[in-house]
Amino acid sequence: MSGKVHVMDHPLVAHKLTILRDKDTSVKDFREIVSEIGMLITYEATRDLPLTTKEVETPICRTIAPTLKGKKFAVVPILRAGLGLVDGVLRMVPSARVGHIGMFRDEETLEPHVYFCKMPKDIAERDIMIVDPMLATGGSAEAAITEMKKRGCKNIKLMVLLAAPEGVERIQKAHPDVDIYCGAVDDHLNEHGYIVPGLGDAGDRIFGTK
Ligand SMILES: O=P(O)(O)OC[C@H]1O[C@H](OP(=O)(O)OP(=O)(O)O)[C@H](O)[C@@H]1O
Ligand SMILES: O=c1cc[nH]c(=O)[nH]1
Ligand SMILES: [Mg+2]
């Protein structure tokens, strides 16, 4: 059975994605909105976090109230564009650890290569959220998931802003145990491996490198 694709069905996400798609959106606004959508997708992607209870004293009385069970969680951005989503995740889950995975794509073949990987020591015991704004051919995300599995990680989710159907299919085939959380699934990839209609090069737009 393949992993589920959770497409955010929410007017706020849809509205913010449209601002990101607009080529005239400034670097400052682009970066802020990437982070905001990161926060909104985290809200959905953490629905299954286990709860326990604890006793608290409100100004009125003592009560038993829900609290997170202290599960270990890590967010793993794919460098560089994935960095844009880290802040949004951390605002929702401040205790999360952060592992970094650096990936570049061969411009001819579009195949990814890992050039950097620095993880928390206990990464194998943590629930992992790999984050990257774009799932295009799926090569980068597939390789990042493989890298995390090599390090013993078992419970892995993938968060992206936009996905191409080709990328979704690739992840579902290569890693059927991984659910994808995304803002929208777009129409197709063009001959350069860009998502159509998409939002262009996410890394360049977050960091203003073009
Ligand atoms: O699904 P794929 O076909 O692998 O493409 C998606 C990858 O491309 C972009 O990164 P890019 O390689 O442009 O690097 P950057 O983050 O440094 O801009 C994007 O952030 C993904 O990591
Ligand atoms: O559309 C795309 C595809 C890959 N990487 C991007 O940044 N944008
Ligand atoms: Mg890029």
Side-chain angles (χ1 to χ4, degrees):
M1 212 174 78
S2 39
K4 274 196 196 141
V5 186
H6 305 258
V7 183
M8 297 306 108
D9 177 22
H10 197 290
L12 284 180
V13 175
H15 176 84
K16 288 174 192 294
L17 276 177
T18 300
I19 300 174
L20 295 186
R21 293 183 192 279
D22 186 339
K23 68 177 175 47
D24 293 325
T25 296
S26 69
V27 169
K28 173 182 174 288
D29 289 348
F30 193 92
R31 194 182 290 142
E32 281 174 10
I33 291 167
V34 166
S35 169
E36 286 172 9
I37 302 179
M39 211 157 44
L40 293 169
I41 302 182
T42 304
Y43 175 80
E44 273 305 314
T46 50
R47 255 185 203 289
D48 59 354
L49 280 185
L51 289 170
T52 181
T53 53
K54 71 174 192 181
E55 194 176 302
V56 288
E57 191 166 356
T58 77
I60 309 299
C61 67
R62 280 191 164 278
T63 186
I64 304 290
T67 181
L68 285 174
K69 210 170 177 179
K71 254 211 140 186
K72 290 182 163 187
F73 189 74
V75 54
V76 177
I78 301 179
L79 305 181
R80 138 198 86 129
L83 288 173
L85 287 162
V86 172
D87 170 60
V89 178
L90 289 180
R91 276 155 79 186
M92 293 293 97
V93 193
S95 63
R97 300 295 193 265
V98 184
H100 294 85
I101 183 158
M103 202 80 89
F104 69 85
R105 292 184 302 160
D106 184 303
E107 286 189 2
E108 303 267 293
T109 65
L110 298 180
E111 281 309 301
H113 298 274
V114 178
Y115 67 84
F116 181 78
C117 194
K118 181 76 183 168
M119 294 295 150
K121 272 206 183 71
D122 59 353
I123 195 72
E125 293 151 39
R126 292 182 177 270
D127 288 350
I128 308 297
M129 176 74 75
I130 296 176
V131 298
D132 191 327
M134 310 302 272
L135 179 65
T137 65
S140 305
E142 181 189 340
I145 296 167
T146 300
E147 204 61 34
M148 299 313 295
K149 286 184 176 173
K150 271 192 218 160
R151 287 170 162 70
C153 301
K154 286 180 191 70
N155 191 357
I156 302 173
K157 290 175 177 169
L158 173 66
M159 177 198 293
V160 300
L161 299 185
L162 291 184
E166 294 88 335
V168 169
E169 202 179 309
R170 183 163 175 171
I171 298 302
Q172 287 184 321
K173 214 166 178 181
H175 298 293
D177 55 315
V178 174
D179 278 10
I180 303 171
Y181 291 82
C182 69
V185 179
D186 272 11
D187 196 59
H188 66 280
L189 288 180
N190 70 15
E191 65 277 23
H192 305 293
Y194 275 85
I195 298 175
V196 181
L199 50 75
D201 188 303
D204 282 339
R205 296 196 65 191
I206 291 169
F207 297 109
T209 41
K210 218 167 203 170

Coordinates of all heavy atoms in Angstrom, one line a residue, residues 80 105 194 201-204, ligand 3:
R80 N 18.9 23.8 0.0 CA 18.8 25.0 0.9 C 17.3 25.4 1.1 O 17.0 25.9 2.2 CB 19.6 26.0 0.1 CG 19.5 27.3 -0.1 CD 20.3 28.0 -1.2 NE 19.7 27.8 -2.5 CZ 19.5 28.8 -3.3 NH1 19.9 30.0 -3.0 NH2 18.9 28.6 -4.5
R105 N 21.3 18.9 -7.3 CA 20.8 18.1 -8.4 C 21.7 18.3 -9.6 O 22.1 19.5 -9.9 CB 19.4 18.5 -8.8 CG 18.3 18.2 -7.8 CD 16.9 18.5 -8.3 NE 16.8 19.9 -8.6 CZ 15.9 20.4 -9.4 NH1 15.0 19.6 -9.9 NH2 15.8 21.7 -9.6
Y194 N 10.8 21.8 -13.8 CA 10.1 22.8 -12.9 C 8.6 22.4 -12.9 O 8.0 22.0 -13.8 CB 10.3 24.2 -13.4 CG 11.5 24.8 -12.9 CD1 12.7 24.6 -13.6 CD2 11.6 25.6 -11.8 CE1 13.9 25.1 -13.1 CE2 12.7 26.1 -11.3 CZ 13.9 25.9 -12.0 OH 15.1 26.4 -11.5
D201 N 11.7 28.9 -8.8 CA 12.8 28.3 -8.0 C 12.6 28.8 -6.6 O 12.9 29.9 -6.2 CB 14.2 28.7 -8.6 CG 15.3 27.9 -7.9 OD1 15.4 28.0 -6.6 OD2 16.0 27.2 -8.6
A202 N 12.2 27.8 -5.7 CA 11.9 28.2 -4.3 C 13.1 28.8 -3.6 O 13.0 29.8 -2.9 CB 11.3 27.0 -3.6
G203 N 14.2 28.1 -3.8 CA 15.5 28.5 -3.1 C 15.8 30.0 -3.5 O 16.1 30.8 -2.6
D204 N 15.8 30.2 -4.8 CA 16.2 31.6 -5.2 C 15.2 32.6 -4.7 O 15.6 33.7 -4.4 CB 16.2 31.6 -6.8 CG 17.4 31.0 -7.3 OD1 18.4 30.9 -6.6 OD2 17.4 30.6 -8.5
Ligands
MG3 MG 16.7 25.9 -6.2

